[in-house]
Amino acid sequence: MVMPESRHVSRRVLAGATLALVGGGFMLREHGSQDAPAGAASGAPSTTTPAVATPTPSPTPTIPKVDTVALTTELDAYRAKRGGVQGLAVRDLRNLQTFEWQPFTNETLSTIKVLILVSVLRKCHETGEALTEQQHTSARRMIQRSDNVATDSLLEWVGTEHVAESAQLLGLTNTTVRGGGAAGTANWWGYSTTNPGDWVTLLGAVHAAPITRTTAGRPIIDDGDRYYIRDLMSGVISSQRWGVADRPLPGEVSAETKNGWGPMADGYRLNSIGHVFGDRRDYHMAILTRSPRGFAYGRETINGLARIVHKALVHEL
């Protein structure tokens, strides 16, 4: 909408154990010493068993974890104060743990553009075609400026059915793709629906190779595609970097993001997805919201949710 709009790899912790080798031996005394062991004077072997020290195991370091009960309580209190509907999912890429809070199904608005771009690149591999310069321009404008005209042109080329198939291949079981209708009508692509967990799964596919492959045995998108999408998401214009990428985040934090927003009768939709890394953090997050008081109020609300989670993730989930 044009308005004031990185790993499925298990981490294994290896703990080294110390093996202490203790050598036993006799202490020699002067001849005739009263504390010499029996038989020492005649050269008879000692029957004394040498003492062997028992290795002391190294303590396993304790890694601080997020108190998810306390985090839930803080998010609940914030939601009660702000009003509206909010839900989110976050996946900690340091240990691949996921936290979900109040997940619900919401209209995607422009966040669907990431899935559309995945589908465009997938079609290129399947047909052997390369993106034209105009399509590259449309992809950049679609992601970085949320240009709806550019989106229309790419969706017309790739086809709504192909986007829906990509969602299925990626395991986005709670996502319904729409397309073909004019903006604001029931079958408009912006009124596709999803939930936070599916959008975190989508971010995972953009960040690292998904397990699911096409029927031809090829990856849905390759490493070059993922780099291309992430590069575009890292260059979203500043006025659209709220929510997951809200700029009050510390300067050393980077974010690859895409937001979506628009009015509806039962609350203004504001959604934000992205990859946040730096400042000892590395996570994917999707926040979906409905604001009872319009865009500006909703942006404040979604920014607050992102800050609460970012602060908590100084520790691992």
Side-chain angles (χ1 to χ4, degrees), residues 67-81:
D67 184 341
T68 55
V69 174
L71 176 56
T72 299
T73 299
E74 185 174 2
L75 290 169
D76 286 344
Y78 182 79
R79 178 182 185 177
K81 180 174 67 175

Side-chain angles (χ1 to χ4, degrees), residues 14-185:
L14 303 177
T18 302
L19 176 62
L21 301 177
V22 180
F26 295 102
M27 181 178 288
L28 300 180
R29 303 286 184 177
E30 291 184 1
H31 182 73
S33 172
Q34 293 186 8
D35 59 357
S42 62
S46 171
T47 58
T48 306
T49 302
V52 179
T54 302
T56 303
S58 301
T60 302
T62 301
I63 301 175
K65 299 289 185 181
V66 173
D67 184 341
T68 55
V69 174
L71 176 56
T72 299
T73 299
E74 185 174 2
L75 290 169
D76 286 344
Y78 182 79
R79 178 182 185 177
K81 180 174 67 175
R82 299 294 298 181
V85 182
Q86 303 98 34
L88 63 83
V90 58
R91 185 164 179 82
D92 190 337
L93 300 181
R94 297 168 295 184
N95 61 4
L96 302 183
Q97 296 299 305
T98 301
F99 169 79
E100 291 191 342
W101 173 74
Q102 299 291 342
F104 75 105
T105 298
N106 207 28
E107 288 76 16
T108 65
L109 280 302
S110 288
T111 58
I112 192 71
K113 293 171 181 176
V114 176
L115 181 59
I116 291 173
L117 183 54
V118 167
S119 303
V120 166
L121 296 172
R122 177 185 149 226
K123 181 176 178 179
C124 286
H125 287 295
E126 292 172 347
T127 62
E129 299 178 65
L131 290 181
T132 65
E133 285 302 315
Q134 181 57 51
Q135 287 174 320
H136 276 299
T137 298
S138 293
R140 184 173 63 253
R141 293 188 62 83
M142 176 176 72
I143 298 297
Q144 296 184 340
R145 294 182 173 274
S146 209
D147 188 311
N148 290 348
V149 174
T151 305
D152 291 339
S153 68
L154 289 173
L155 184 59
E156 182 178 2
W157 180 77
V158 73
T160 302
E161 297 79 7
H162 197 275
V163 179
E165 187 178 53
S166 295
Q168 182 180 28
L169 289 169
L170 290 170
L172 308 181
T173 56
N174 296 291
T175 298
T176 299
V177 177
R178 294 187 170 89
T185 63

Side-chain angles (χ1 to χ4, degrees), residues 10 13 41 55 58 98 121 152 171 184 194 202 271 315:
S10 301
V13 180
S58 301
T98 301
L121 296 172
D152 291 339
T194 194
L202 173 63
N271 305 321
H315 301 309

